[in-house]
Amino acid sequence: MSKKLTQIAIYGKGGIGKSTTTSNISAALSVAGYKVMQFGCDPKSDSTNTLRGGTYIPTVLDTLREKNVVKPEEVIFEGFNGIYCVEAGGPSPGVGCAGRGIITAVQLFKQKKVFEEYDLDYVIYDVLGDVVCGGFAVPIREGIAEHVFTVSSADFMAIFAANNLFKGIHKYSNNGGALLGGVIANSINEPYAKDIIDDFVDVTKTQVVEYVPRSVTVTQSELQGKTTVEAAPDSKQAQVYKQLAEKIANHTESKVPEPLGIEELRNWAARWGETLLSLQSGEVRSAAEKI
Ligand SMILES: Nc1ncnc2c1ncn2[C@@H]1O[C@H](COP(=O)(O)OP(=O)(O)OP(=O)(O)O)[C@@H](O)[C@H]1O
Ligand SMILES: [Mg+2]
């Protein structure tokens, strides 16, 4: 009997830490004994680099441009601990929809029954999610992913992107779209950053899955072309990623988030602006600091 495949999509603003977090989750799940495929859905095609010693792999779109018929083994490459790495790729800069790589790659994999043939436990999509449009919405819209997670820091633009993603999930949820597992709070070192994220998940009726600190261990590992789970398996940061991966593996209950309207979001941000000013002047103390 073939095992149950769980497909997970990880979204977030550009540069927020999606690929770093996704690759560490893949590495941790793989070390825990699961068979994992990481599916990079970014036209930059660098999602799987730290799973493969810092090297790039040919993308599905590039390979299709060279040949008419593509075999799965021409676009699936093994990385750390046998993780299957795929990069959907993108169009030439300035030509066509950047999400076309995802649409094409997903179609190809469905047609060739790749997910069944490779006997996978998890497929993890790493998706640029500033705007949930076109190809970038595929893992959510077509019910491909079962659970969606978003990586966000406490910065307003990251939260803005997360809120946009919530709007997309909300919209597609009426037609069998994927639901939200929660927020992976990245680069959370200051107590006020935790407070901001906690408040955001509260008002949007979702949850934080894990708080991931900003750590030099991540930088060091990346410079070696590796995930933290591979390069520094006994580090505190690797423990955080392993704990996050375990929570994702055991996650069952995803929900429809309640995104804020644009005015509501601006007012929410303005209130936080005032709170941070009072924190700075010592008028109030952060809730996270009191714990
Ligand atoms: N918790 C962390 N601690 C230290 N550095 C981090 C952390 N998370 C991410 N980074 C660093 O931030 C940079 C951007 O991360 P990453 O490439 O994962 O972001 P991304 O969201 O995938 O970006 P893009 O949208 O460009 O694909 C990388 O250099 C990465 O090492
Ligand atoms: Mg990336």
Side-chain angles (χ1 to χ4, degrees), residues 19 42 46 126:
S19 303
D42 189 318
D46 61 354
D126 169 6

Side-chain angles (χ1 to χ4, degrees), residues 24-36 122 124 245-246 248-249:
N24 275 293
I25 294 170
S26 294
L29 286 174
S30 166
V31 167
Y34 296 109
K35 200 72 211 146
V36 182
Y122 291 98
I124 311 189
E246 200 182 311
I248 287 182

Side-chain angles (χ1 to χ4, degrees), residues 14-20 42 44 128 186 213-215 218 222:
I16 203 64
K18 294 179 296 296
S19 303
T20 305
D42 189 318
K44 281 201 314 322
L128 180 65
N186 192 32
R214 191 155 191 92
S215 154
V218 175
E222 186 185 41

Side-chain angles (χ1 to χ4, degrees), residues 240-262:
V240 174
Y241 287 126
K242 285 178 189 172
Q243 202 172 295
L244 168 62
E246 200 182 311
K247 285 184 187 168
I248 287 182
N250 294 326
H251 184 85
T252 46
E253 290 273 301
S254 285
K255 289 189 285 196
V256 181
E258 293 183 18
L260 297 179
I262 189 68

Side-chain angles (χ1 to χ4, degrees), residues 130-282:
D130 288 71
V131 183
V132 189
C133 74
F136 295 117
V138 166
I140 301 178
R141 193 183 58 208
E142 314 215 337
I144 291 172
E146 217 170 299
H147 308 291
V148 178
F149 294 89
T150 180
V151 179
S152 180
S153 68
D155 291 344
F156 182 66
M157 288 320 291
I159 286 181
F160 182 83
N163 193 61
N164 270 346
L165 173 72
F166 293 180
K167 286 183 182 171
I169 293 176
H170 198 272
K171 189 168 113 198
Y172 296 123
S173 66
N174 297 329
N175 301 313
L179 302 182
L180 186 78
V183 175
I184 300 165
N186 192 32
S187 297
I188 305 298
N189 290 19
E190 301 292 334
Y192 77 82
K194 181 176 179 293
D195 288 346
I196 291 178
I197 287 279
D198 283 348
D199 189 36
F200 176 66
V201 297
D202 201 34
V203 294
T204 52
K205 305 282 184 291
T206 173
Q207 56 171 346
V208 171
V209 196
E210 192 62 77
Y211 303 93
V212 181
R214 191 155 191 92
S215 154
V216 70
T217 315
V218 175
T219 317
Q220 282 164 349
S221 310
E222 186 185 41
L223 292 173
Q224 292 173 48
K226 291 177 182 168
T227 60
T228 303
V229 169
E230 179 183 8
D234 300 322
S235 63
K236 252 170 109 178
Q237 190 77 3
Q239 288 312 314
V240 174
Y241 287 126
K242 285 178 189 172
Q243 202 172 295
L244 168 62
E246 200 182 311
K247 285 184 187 168
I248 287 182
N250 294 326
H251 184 85
T252 46
E253 290 273 301
S254 285
K255 289 189 285 196
V256 181
E258 293 183 18
L260 297 179
I262 189 68
E263 274 304 307
E264 276 178 302
L265 185 64
R266 285 187 188 139
N267 293 337
W268 176 86
R271 277 200 303 281
W272 266 106
E274 284 163 24
T275 308
L276 290 188
L277 270 178
S278 337
L279 274 173
Q280 223 175 15
S281 63

